[in-house]
Amino acid sequence: MVTTKKLSRSRAPIGLFICAALASLLGSNLCFALEEESPDAGDDRRPLVRSLLPTPFGGEGLGLKGRLRRRLNLPGDRVQWVRFPIQNEEAKAHWGNFLTDIARHLPSQYGKKYYSDDRITHAHETTHGINSHLSNHPDEIAPGMRRHGSVYGFYVGKDQAVILTSPQIKLSQVAPLIPASLRGSRYQLYCIDQQKYFEDHPLYLFDEWVAYTNGAHAGVELTEKHQLDMPKNDALVGPLEFSIYALGLAAAIEKHDPEYLRQNKQFREFLAHELRRATGIYRQGMKLDQFRWEQRLEHNLLEQDDSRELREIVPRLFGEYLKLEELIGG
């Protein structure tokens, strides 16, 4: 309803006071966000999110304090993306928008190496091809970027890629930190067996994470458009399962290379971004008949005692009031 009636004199000061108070609260959070982006801010500050709102405005992220903080400082919104443009003009009517995006970002010299008749697998494997190319040729998209040690590239769609340097840990240091209740069907292969190939490349887990998420994204889109007819499967569990292993990777870095975690804001932001993206696609797909599967891992991640350490990574990285279930919308 629209009204042109003016405030009475007795109410105006109260209205102005409330508006001024809210503006002050909002501004204090914006000031902190800008301060954290400053290149001169240094690396000895607390990671990512610290609210400046006074305590009377709620606790544990549930009141006005939490809503304003999440809106202004949501972890994952500040990834420093590098643009990776389309590399070819491949397209097929049955691919859908997201698979077409993935296929068109594979450099043409790879031909049909990563193609598959299974469109979820096609998106997954082509993502590996793109990530491999970005990792081997980072200067193509990020020339002059200062790097120390090995670098890895990851493509998430819509011309957006990210380049990360590797932490100084081993893949074998991640596996023990995944509690028994969170070891899914892919744990043995990717966290244990692949140590013989990727022991010194722990961000290999991120490569698989992004590939599973991209494959799931393509599958959900096609299924929602009634363009994918396939037997019931657990493809949508993959993004959630690797979200767990990504949290385990963060826990291993915190334990064995804490300086990397403290200094590398890009890693922290990308971790948050992919946690939100992967679990969002997982929940969207679990509503569809083809992908509806048991939700044991999600329940265990959010509820089991033995997974508490992984849950507590989130407030340690992103601010004491932010819980894992708030970050991923659980």
Side-chain angles (χ1 to χ4, degrees):
M1 180 177 68
V2 178
T3 179
T4 57
K5 183 177 180 181
K6 295 181 180 180
L7 287 173
S8 67
R9 289 187 178 182
S10 61
R11 291 184 179 181
I14 298 175
L16 290 173
F17 173 79
I18 293 173
C19 291
L22 288 174
S24 174
L25 295 173
L26 193 63
S28 61
N29 272 266
L30 283 169
C31 290
F32 177 76
L34 292 172
E35 176 189 0
E36 189 171 67
E37 289 295 317
S38 169
D40 300 323
D43 287 320
D44 56 348
R45 61 183 180 271
R46 290 183 61 188
L48 287 182
V49 176
R50 176 165 59 89
S51 174
L52 299 183
L53 294 176
T55 53
F57 283 86
E60 299 301 317
L62 297 179
L64 175 61
K65 174 181 179 180
R67 290 196 298 274
L68 287 177
R69 184 185 63 250
R70 286 196 294 273
R71 179 175 298 175
L72 296 171
N73 296 298
L74 193 62
D77 284 349
R78 299 181 189 175
V79 178
Q80 295 179 0
W81 300 108
V82 289
R83 183 175 180 271
F84 185 52
I86 288 174
Q87 304 291 303
N88 66 73
E89 296 298 327
E90 289 285 323
K92 295 187 183 299
H94 66 283
W95 280 357
N97 294 333
F98 191 74
L99 176 52
T100 299
D101 179 291
I102 297 296
R104 284 184 169 180
H105 283 80
L106 180 70
S108 55
Q109 64 260 38
Y110 298 101
K112 299 186 184 221
K113 179 178 179 180
Y114 298 99
Y115 275 40
S116 172
D117 291 335
D118 181 321
R119 283 165 283 174
I120 293 176
T121 301
H122 188 170
H124 179 117
E125 295 301 332
T126 302
T127 298
H128 281 314
I130 298 169
N131 290 351
S132 176
H133 181 84
L134 295 174
S135 300
N136 291 324
H137 307 280
D139 288 328
E140 287 186 11
I141 62 171
M145 178 181 175
R146 289 186 300 172
R147 292 181 285 270
H148 302 284
S150 301
V151 293
Y152 299 85
F154 307 101
Y155 180 71
V156 302
K158 296 184 178 179
D159 292 351
Q160 291 182 313
V162 70
I163 300 292
L164 295 178
T165 57
S166 180
Q168 298 302 304
I169 67 167
K170 305 288 187 183
L171 185 59
S172 60
Q173 293 173 318
V174 178
L177 300 182
I178 308 299
S181 73
L182 297 181
R183 295 177 181 179
S185 62
R186 299 164 178 86
Y187 172 82
Q188 180 65 37
L189 173 61
Y190 292 107
C191 296
I192 303 296
D193 297 346
Q194 296 289 56
Q195 289 175 19
K196 58 188 174 186
Y197 303 114
F198 298 103
E199 173 70 343
D200 296 322
H201 304 278
L203 288 184
Y204 155 77
L205 291 175
F206 270 27
D207 185 28
E208 291 293 345
W209 189 22
V210 173
Y212 269 103
T213 302
N214 285 354
H217 187 158
V220 169
E221 178 200 290
L222 290 166
T223 301
E224 288 183 334
K225 292 180 178 179
H226 307 288
Q227 296 176 356
L228 188 66
D229 185 15
M230 62 189 305
K232 192 171 185 178
N233 64 84
D234 74 337
L236 267 293
V237 178
L240 176 68
E241 188 172 344
F242 273 90
S243 295
I244 292 167
Y245 304 153
L247 288 169
L249 174 63
I253 297 171
E254 184 180 53
K255 183 176 182 180
H256 300 289
D257 190 7
E259 191 68 8
Y260 174 93
L261 206 57
R262 185 179 70 84
Q263 292 188 350
N264 200 318
K265 180 179 179 181
Q266 181 77 327
F267 173 88
R268 301 192 308 264
E269 282 290 297
F270 187 64
L271 172 69
H273 182 277
E274 289 301 280
L275 282 170
R276 290 164 52 193
R277 186 172 79 101
T279 54
I281 291 170
Y282 160 79
R283 291 200 175 94
Q284 186 178 353
M286 291 292 280
K287 299 174 184 177
L288 304 171
D289 288 340
Q290 288 96 325
F291 302 122
R292 192 172 292 118
W293 209 259
E294 66 162 9
Q295 295 176 286
R296 175 181 58 87
L297 285 179
E298 181 182 12
H299 173 269
N300 290 349
L301 175 62
L302 297 177
E303 302 293 340
Q304 284 287 83
D305 287 341
D306 70 349
S307 61
R308 180 177 295 130
E309 185 61 28
L310 290 193
R311 291 196 298 272
E312 291 178 352
I313 285 289
V314 169
R316 288 204 297 273
L317 290 183
F318 305 120
E320 59 183 320
Y321 293 106
L322 184 65
K323 297 181 180 180
L324 174 61
E325 54 264 41
E326 292 178 311
L327 179 65
I328 66 175

